[in-house]
């Protein structure tokens, strides 16, 4: 995530996994939404609505007053909007009633040559509106790309972004470039991709309409403005993207670490500009491995900011999970289940490394009350602030208290995983109300454990004051 009111060096990390690359045949898309260290999120379900007339959307972002007409039928969908709509909705991620998932956006950057030819559009669409005007109106991942692509071509955009789509069969990654252009690539079923704030898509095969989609005039645009010869096709990353010093330290190391986690057999350098967009894992990928990557910070390398490297190494690269993460999610669509049960919206409020991913059925009719409370300042009734509270307590004495956090995280991973399995096994098809109750149980399991952990951390921290006096050393 990247918006005008935020630090320009705060942005997201994404992962996409095809169905044949996962251990259970599910598709997965996930992302850390990074913006500010204290910027609360909610988790909501928007109900299915049918209106007599087409509806209109108007952004609350006064700097980017985007407007458009919406269809009369709006599907039910989950979303994680911000605590305030002052700067826009930023619904960010969700799964709709048709079993389509969307996560938006992975902020990226377009080079000045391209922007000179097609500048950004001030009142075009941006991250804050993309989920809201797209996810409730699509029936497949491909349709999501096509709808958002049409919007961008029609209205323009004021920023460069990557957008994730999936359904139970396909996973797509879409990237915008300049004011009106975009491309999208289907992630091969046996592959995965990791993206970190750079344009990532490489060669576009204009003859392969099953696996590539793009703005209708993009070839002429590139040729007319001498951006590339097109003799060997179009490498979107090279022609539209950036490759500067900040990319080497801020972006590419996160991609390197992701590919190191899933494909350790391939040796690569963290600052390489040649890391592939599409990669194959050494083994089948499990949901906990995807969550672990999004919660990672270069563990096992000298670059871990809380590890054993030198001071220079520990601060050399921007980690995947960091203090400015608002929420982290994995949208998992599981095969051979009714659409109401198939979609699991895994949600970790706050910093993923210090939080826990709770599995929420997207087919539920409502979300737990604590997840609907989001405030500018700390509120103990808010799920977001419960998890942030634990993180703040651990950070104050990280090496003394982290083991206690890690123990609870492991216990919760087991309990929540078991809860999901037993709920799936109860009946062949659960109703929306059943799923709402199951989600409440999952939330209670996690929140109660984290609140108890907070009490323990506060108690233990009382004797860690710098005002302590050791009599043994002063006799």
């Amino acid at each position: 995530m990247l918006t005008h009111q935020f630090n320009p060096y705060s942005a997201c990390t994404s992962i996409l996994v095809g169905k044949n690359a996962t251990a259970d045949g599910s598709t997965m898309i996930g992302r850390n939404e990074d913006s500010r260290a204290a910027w609360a999120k909610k988790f909501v379900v928007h109900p299915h609505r049918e209106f007599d007339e087409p509806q209109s959307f108007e952004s609350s972002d006064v700097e980017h007053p985007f407007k458009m007409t919406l269809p009369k039928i709006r599907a039910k969908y989950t979303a994680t909007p911000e605590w305030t709509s002052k700067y826009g909705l930023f619904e960010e991620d969700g799964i709709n009633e048709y079993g389509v998932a969307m996560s938006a956006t992975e902020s990226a950057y377009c080079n000045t040559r391209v922007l000179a030819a097609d500048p950004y559009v001030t009142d075009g669409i941006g991250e804050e509106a993309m989920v809201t005007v797209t996810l409730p109106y699509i029936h497949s991942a491909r349709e999501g790309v096509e709808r958002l692509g049409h919007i961008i071509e029609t209205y323009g955009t004021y920023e460069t972004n990557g957008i994730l789509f999936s359904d139970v069969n396909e996973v797509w990654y879409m990237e915008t470039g300049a004011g009106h252009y975009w491309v999208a690539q289907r992630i091969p079923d046996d592959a995965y991709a990791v993206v970190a704030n750079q344009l990532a898509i490489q060669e576009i095969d204009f003859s392969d309409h099953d696996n590539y989609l793009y703005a209708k005039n993009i070839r002429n645009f590139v040729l007319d403005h001498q951006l590339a010869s097109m003799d060997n096709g179009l490498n979107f990353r090279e022609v539209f993207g950036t490759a500067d010093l900040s990319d080497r330290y801020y972006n590419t190391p996160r991609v390197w670490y992701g590919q190191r986690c899933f494909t350790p057999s391939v040796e690569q350098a963290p600052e390489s500009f040649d890391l592939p967009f599409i990669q194959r894992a050494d083994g089948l990928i499990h949901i906990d491995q995807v969550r672990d990557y999004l919660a990672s910070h270069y563990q096992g390398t000298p670059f871990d900011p809380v590890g054993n490297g030198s001071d220079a190494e520990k601060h050399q690269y921007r980690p995947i999970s960091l203090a400015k993460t608002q929420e982290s999610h994995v949208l998992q669509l599981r095969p051979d289940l009714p659409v109401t049960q198939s979609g699991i919206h895994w949600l970790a409020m706050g910093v993923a490394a210090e939080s826990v991913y709770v599995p929420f059925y997207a087919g539920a009719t409502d979300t737990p009350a604590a997840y609907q409370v989001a405030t500018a300042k700390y509120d103990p009734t808010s799920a977001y602030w419960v998890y942030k509270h634990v993180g703040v307590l651990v950070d104050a004495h990280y090496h003394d208290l982290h083991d206690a956090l890690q123990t609870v995280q492991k216990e919760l991973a087991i309990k929540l995983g078991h809860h999901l399995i037993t709920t799936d096994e109860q009946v062949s098809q659960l109703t929306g109300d059943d799923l709402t109750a199951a989600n409440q149980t999952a939330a209670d399991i996690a929140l109660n454990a984290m609140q108890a952990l907070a009490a323990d951390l506060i108690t233990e921290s009382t004797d860690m004051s710098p005002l302590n006096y050791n009599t043994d050393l002063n006799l």
Side-chain angles (χ1 to χ4, degrees), residues 16-30:
L16 310 94
V17 190
K19 62 183 180 181
N20 293 340
T22 63
D24 64 353
S26 64
T27 59
M28 302 179 200
I29 57 174

Side-chain angles (χ1 to χ4, degrees), residues 10-264:
S10 297
C12 309
T13 307
S14 297
I15 182 170
L16 310 94
V17 190
K19 62 183 180 181
N20 293 340
T22 63
D24 64 353
S26 64
T27 59
M28 302 179 200
I29 57 174
R31 183 170 60 90
N32 288 350
E33 181 190 357
D34 303 335
S35 176
R36 291 176 70 176
W39 203 252
K41 300 292 292 190
K42 296 180 284 187
F43 177 47
V44 301
V45 174
H46 293 292
H48 180 104
R49 295 288 302 275
E50 297 189 14
F51 303 95
D52 293 333
E53 300 293 336
Q55 300 298 291
S56 61
F57 175 88
E58 183 173 350
S59 174
S60 56
D61 180 357
V62 295
E63 291 188 18
H64 303 289
F66 171 67
K67 300 178 182 178
M68 71 170 291
T69 300
L70 299 175
K72 292 189 287 185
I73 298 177
R74 185 192 74 184
K76 182 174 79 69
Y77 68 106
T78 59
T80 60
E82 312 226 300
W83 69 274
T84 176
S85 61
K86 180 179 179 180
Y87 306 105
L89 293 176
F90 291 96
E91 294 204 298
E92 295 298 313
D93 50 278
I95 302 173
N96 72 18
E97 67 182 82
Y98 309 121
V100 184
M102 178 182 179
S103 179
T105 68
E106 178 72 33
S107 300
Y109 304 92
C110 192
N111 66 59
T112 56
R113 292 189 304 275
V114 173
L115 287 172
D118 180 32
Y120 290 137
V121 180
T122 301
D123 61 350
I125 191 171
E127 173 180 353
E128 71 92 5
M130 286 185 176
V131 166
T132 309
V133 303
T134 305
L135 183 58
Y137 309 104
I138 57 177
H139 298 78
S140 69
R142 174 185 287 265
E143 187 180 339
V145 172
E146 292 170 339
R147 174 174 173 79
L148 184 55
H150 176 72
I151 293 171
I152 289 166
E153 291 180 60
T154 303
Y155 297 93
T157 181
Y158 59 83
E159 57 190 6
T160 296
N161 285 308
I163 303 96
L164 299 73
F165 292 96
S166 64
D167 54 42
V168 75
N169 290 311
E170 297 186 350
V171 176
W172 283 82
Y173 189 62
M174 175 184 187
E175 292 184 321
T176 68
H180 298 84
Y181 292 93
W182 61 273
V183 298
Q185 182 174 352
R186 178 183 174 182
I187 306 302
D189 292 342
D190 65 343
Y192 71 93
V194 175
V195 189
N197 301 130
Q198 285 178 291
L199 290 179
I201 296 175
Q202 295 174 290
E203 296 295 336
I204 302 297
D205 186 343
F206 290 106
S207 66
D208 185 355
H209 301 295
D210 290 332
N211 296 296
Y212 297 90
L213 295 168
Y214 41 86
K216 57 180 177 294
N217 293 321
I218 193 169
R219 284 178 287 189
N220 290 338
F221 170 73
V222 171
L223 290 171
D224 290 346
H225 294 281
Q226 295 85 47
L227 299 174
S229 68
M230 300 284 284
D231 291 343
N232 297 314
L234 172 64
N235 186 311
F236 190 73
R237 179 197 294 181
E238 291 183 0
V239 175
F240 282 74
T242 60
D244 55 31
L245 187 62
S246 65
D247 290 321
R248 290 190 184 277
Y249 294 96
Y250 195 77
N251 300 327
T252 61
R254 286 178 279 155
V255 178
W256 163 78
Y257 189 73
Q259 296 190 4
R260 181 180 185 269
C261 289
F262 298 107
T263 317

